[in-house]
Amino acid sequence: PRACGERSSPMLHFYRTADLHASAALKEKAAEVGFEVLGSEVCFNVQTRAPLDGEDEAKLRYLLQETFEPEGCGTEPFLKGRSIVEVGP
């Protein structure tokens, strides 16, 4: 537990495109509640003890990105639009 006024550790967010939306089962479940799944991405929430320097952030990116599609990983969401539904913890 943190003491009152104590600052929390930095939280970094990395996004990676995903093919979750290609799942027939997911499309069927989404349709049952009135949604159409057009795209998907995965968000990694990374908490650190201190801000990362450039070298450490590069190592983290290397671990999170697909080595054959590094452009599909970034610090900003890839999904844009009027209706975005986030699922997960």
Side-chain angles (χ1 to χ4, degrees):
R2 291 184 295 136
C4 183
E6 184 179 342
R7 297 181 64 161
S8 63
S9 300
M11 179 71 73
L12 305 173
H13 307 284
F14 290 90
Y15 300 87
R16 189 172 71 198
T17 56
D19 291 331
L20 303 173
H21 61 282
S23 164
L26 178 61
K27 287 181 179 183
E28 183 180 324
K29 289 293 183 186
E32 288 176 10
V33 294
F35 286 98
E36 181 181 5
V37 181
L38 303 174
S40 56
E41 68 185 9
V42 176
C43 177
F44 298 94
N45 298 305
V46 180
Q47 189 169 16
T48 62
R49 292 186 179 144
L52 298 179
D53 63 24
E55 183 178 337
D56 286 339
E57 186 172 329
K59 288 176 188 176
L60 181 58
R61 278 181 187 270
Y62 178 79
L63 292 172
L64 297 177
Q65 71 189 15
E66 298 284 348
T67 56
F68 52 90
E69 291 181 336
E71 66 281 354
C73 183
T75 56
E76 294 293 324
F78 291 94
L79 298 177
K80 309 284 186 209
R82 293 184 9 215
S83 299
I84 303 289
V85 176
E86 183 175 328
V87 179

